[in-house]
């Protein structure tokens, strides 16, 4: 069986390694993949957003049996719709379901309509109205660009002036392009954050093991927001009681709401949750596997990933096992010095022998004459799995020391807070 995976980051590397565990898989193509993924898949030089190119490759090769579309952009652009049209079964939502991530206004209105708990909000497509609203809005407040903005379209404003500046930046200066022509202004919530990825086929929703992301660049949650500097799974804040409540008040109602809207969601639906004093609330939905959450969630999946994905595609998820290990995982991301601001590329990397149950998921690297060199901000993630969270963290950090390139940096406190909570 030949599989095509769209995307080229650490998340895709984790998906590819997991898919490869199925013996029926003969070949995996990655479009575009990267220099590290090349060790596990055949990389094809077609961008994830080049939907025509993806279709052309699939037609030309003529031997693709299944496709996994991992990143948000191609999903929003209708990559799954296009591949389905040429007869290729896919994992991932069609465009009209992917809108749950690609339009924050859609997501907020959906939650309001169906009573799914989330921060209270107003939406605006007129800048003056937004600025006037901010004269009386509670502070701090949260300003979000409607569309996809590479994870940067959310600004938490501590003062009215900051809030107004954020609105101008999005609506007048178009800092995030057309993404910011509509905005959401919402209530600032507090509480621990939990990421829950789920498999859903529109009939059943099966949450995966919970995880915790670390979005800021520096230790102690300081520094700029990044794509994610590390993760742990499971997330100790996510108790069985919380999980039950989320299933009842968030997961099932969201799946049903999408069906009701004629936008049945099939794929990985990601719930970004905040556990507030008033119960769990949705901070955001993503229409895909999270990055770097996937790098801790999939290594703990005991069941076969391809079997689950195909069951999602064929709407028979209820029939398959989705079992997770009782172990813990920690992923530490190694980034290029300067990231998420400007950084240098092309640094030669050396990766020593990993110890224990450890995987390296490469996110930003290319091969030049057989030599692996950095090519992105987040370069790779080291994921270690162990019986306890404490051991998983310690093992990941021992292994991170074996990864070297000029100006490499990583956070030294991934999982520290989770560990304090787990220990009580
Ligand atoms: P998002 O891109 O929607 O995940 O937002 C990025 C981050 O901003 C989240 O992970 C939260 O830490 C924070 N955030 C988003 N919305 C809110 C909110 N309503 N209240 C507090 N923090 C928020
Ligand atoms: N880690 C958050 C995301 O994938 O959007």
């Amino acid at each position: 069986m030949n599989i095509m995976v769209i995307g080229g980051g650490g998340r895709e590397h984790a998906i590819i390694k997991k898919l490869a565990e199925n013996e029926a898989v003969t070949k995996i193509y990655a479009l575009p993949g990267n220099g590290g993924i090349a060790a596990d898949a055949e990389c094809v030089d077609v961008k994830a957003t080049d939907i025509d190119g993806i279709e052309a490759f699939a037609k030309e090769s003529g031997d693709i049996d299944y496709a996994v579309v991992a990143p948000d952009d191609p999903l929003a652009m209708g990559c799954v719709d296009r591949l389905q049209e040429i007869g290729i079964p896919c994992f991932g939502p069609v465009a009209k379901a992917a809108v749950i991530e690609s339009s924050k206004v859609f997501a907020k209105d959906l939650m309001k309509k169906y009573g799914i708990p989330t921060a209270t909000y107003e939406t605006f497509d007129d800048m003056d109205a937004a600025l006037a609203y901010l004269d009386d809005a509670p502070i701090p407040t949260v300003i979000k660009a409607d569309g996809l903005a590479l994870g940067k379209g959310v600004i938490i404003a501590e003062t009215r002036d900051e809030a107004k500046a954020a609105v101008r930046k999005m609506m007048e200066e178009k800092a995030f392009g057309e993404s910011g022509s509509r905005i959401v202004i919402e209530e600032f919530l507090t509480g621990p954050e939990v990421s829950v990825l789920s498999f859903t086929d529109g009939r059943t929703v099966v949450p995966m093991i919970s995880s915790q992301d670390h979005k800021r660049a520096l230790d102690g949650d300081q520094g700029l927001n990044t794509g994610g500097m590390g993760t742990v799974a499971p997330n100790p804040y996510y108790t069985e009681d919380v999980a039950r409540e989320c299933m009842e008040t968030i997961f099932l109602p969201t799946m049903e709401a999408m069906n009701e809207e004629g936008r049945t969601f099939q794929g990985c639906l990601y719930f970004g949750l905040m556990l507030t004093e008033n119960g769990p609330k949705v901070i955001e939905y993503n229409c895909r596997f999270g990055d770097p959450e996937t790098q801790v969630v999939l290594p703990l999946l005991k069941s076969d990933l391809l079997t689950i994905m195909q069951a999602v595609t064929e709407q028979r998820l209820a029939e398959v096992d989705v079992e997770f290990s009782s172990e813990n995982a920690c992923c530490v991301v190694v980034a290029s010095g300067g990231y998420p601001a400007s950084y240098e590329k092309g640094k030669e990397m050396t990766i020593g022998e990993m110890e224990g149950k450890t995987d390296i998921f490469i996110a930003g690297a290319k091969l030049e004459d057989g030599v692996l060199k950095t090519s992105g901000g987040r370069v790779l993630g080291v994921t270690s799995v162990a019986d306890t969270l404490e051991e998983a963290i310690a093992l990941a950090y021992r292994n991170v020391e074996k990864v070297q390139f000029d100006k490499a940096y990583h956070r030294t406190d991934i999982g520290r807070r989770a560990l304090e909570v787990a220990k009580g």
Side-chain angles (χ1 to χ4, degrees):
M1 184 169 183
N2 297 332
I3 307 181
M4 174 168 85
V5 175
I6 310 303
R11 163 185 57 200
E12 287 77 6
H13 200 182
I15 291 172
I16 286 167
K17 282 201 182 184
K18 200 74 196 174
L19 287 171
E21 289 177 10
N22 183 313
E23 283 176 6
V25 174
T26 36
K27 195 162 204 178
I28 303 181
Y29 298 100
L31 284 66
N34 67 46
I37 290 178
D40 299 285
E42 186 173 322
C43 295
V44 181
D45 191 16
V46 173
K47 282 204 189 90
T49 48
D50 178 3
I51 312 296
D52 291 337
I54 293 167
E55 181 182 351
F57 171 76
K59 279 183 175 159
E60 257 164 52
S61 66
D63 65 353
I64 309 288
D65 302 298
Y66 193 70
V68 178
V69 182
D72 50 0
D73 286 320
L75 288 166
M77 292 164 78
C79 187
V80 168
D81 311 56
R82 192 79 83 80
L83 291 172
Q84 282 176 350
E85 277 163 27
I86 59 166
I88 296 180
C90 286
F91 183 86
V94 293
K96 71 176 178 184
V99 71
I100 199 166
E101 172 170 2
S102 59
S103 169
K104 292 203 193 282
V105 173
F106 171 84
K108 296 297 292 190
D109 290 348
L110 184 86
M111 289 187 268
K112 188 188 264 178
K113 183 170 170 187
Y114 293 91
I116 298 164
T118 188
T120 56
Y121 72 102
E122 297 286 338
T123 66
F124 298 92
D125 52 21
D126 177 70
M127 189 174 75
D128 293 331
L131 293 174
Y133 171 80
L134 284 172
D135 282 332
D136 301 310
I139 291 293
T141 189
V142 184
I143 325 272
K144 299 185 171 182
D146 178 47
L148 297 176
L150 297 170
K152 295 187 183 126
V154 175
I155 294 175
I156 295 174
E158 307 281 349
T159 66
R160 249 169 253 291
D161 284 345
E162 247 178 82
K164 289 185 176 180
V167 166
R168 289 200 180 90
K169 189 173 158 197
M170 287 183 194
M171 301 188 90
E172 195 169 56
E173 297 161 30
K174 300 261 181 245
F176 308 112
E178 282 313 305
S179 284
S181 47
R182 281 204 294 178
I183 61 164
V184 173
I185 301 183
E186 70 177 28
E187 174 195 11
F188 175 74
L189 299 175
T190 52
E193 288 186 61
V194 181
S195 303
V196 180
L197 286 58
S198 71
F199 292 108
T200 176
D201 61 358
R203 294 179 177 165
T204 310
V205 54
V206 181
M208 298 180 223
I209 199 164
S210 63
S211 54
Q212 182 186 23
D213 195 1
H214 297 69
K215 288 192 175 162
R216 300 295 195 96
L218 306 174
D219 284 4
D221 295 327
Q222 302 295 307
L224 295 171
N225 245 327
T226 71
M229 294 298 293
T231 35
V232 290
N235 183 326
Y237 286 106
Y238 193 71
T239 60
E240 274 179 36
D241 283 345
V242 174
R244 246 190 314 274
E245 187 174 355
C246 289
M247 187 55 126
E248 261 169 48
T249 63
I250 296 173
F251 304 161
L252 283 171
T254 301
M255 181 186 78
E256 284 158 7
M258 291 298 276
N259 288 339
E260 199 65 34
E261 295 294 308
R263 296 174 185 272
T264 295
F265 190 104
Q266 287 174 261
C268 173
L269 182 53
Y270 166 129
F271 300 92
L273 305 172
M274 194 171 270
L275 308 182
T276 75
E277 277 183 349
N278 303 313
K281 297 197 178 184
V282 177
I283 290 284
E284 63 163 347
Y285 292 116
N286 290 330
C287 67
R288 52 174 174 85
F289 283 96
D291 190 337
E293 284 90 341
T294 306
Q295 291 92 311
V296 283
V297 169
L298 289 187
L300 294 174
L301 177 64
K302 280 171 48 182
S303 312
D304 178 57
L305 179 62
L306 180 60
T307 305
I308 299 168
M309 287 183 158
Q310 288 180 306
V312 166
T313 307
E314 294 161 14
Q315 290 202 299
R316 43 176 189 77
L317 176 60
E319 294 167 20
V320 301
D321 279 337
V322 182
E323 213 189 316
F324 283 87
S325 150
S326 56
E327 294 160 302
N328 290 254
C330 173
C331 172
V332 179
V333 169
V334 183
S336 302
Y339 171 80
S342 65
Y343 54 84
E344 293 167 27
K345 299 182 191 176
K347 308 286 184 191
E348 200 169 319
M349 297 157 62
T350 57
I351 299 177
E353 182 137 352
M354 294 291 121
E355 90 182 76
K357 270 196 194 174
T358 300
D359 263 315
I360 294 203
F361 300 121
I362 308 274
K366 60 180 176 192
L367 273 175
E368 258 180 33
D369 302 323
V371 178
L372 205 54
K373 296 189 175 170
T374 65
S375 68
R378 287 188 300 166
V379 173
L380 56 82
V382 175
T383 297
S384 291
V385 171
D387 286 338
T388 66
L389 181 59
E390 191 163 22
E391 286 164 349
I393 295 169
L395 184 58
Y397 275 109
R398 279 205 300 282
N399 283 305
V400 159
E401 295 309 318
K402 300 174 192 170
V403 173
Q404 274 156 9
F405 57 88
D406 185 31
K407 301 198 173 73
Y409 89 95
H410 59 78
R411 275 181 62 159
T412 66
D413 65 345
I414 300 302
R416 188 174 294 163
R417 183 85 196 93
L419 193 56
E420 284 165 15
V421 174
K423 283 183 163 172

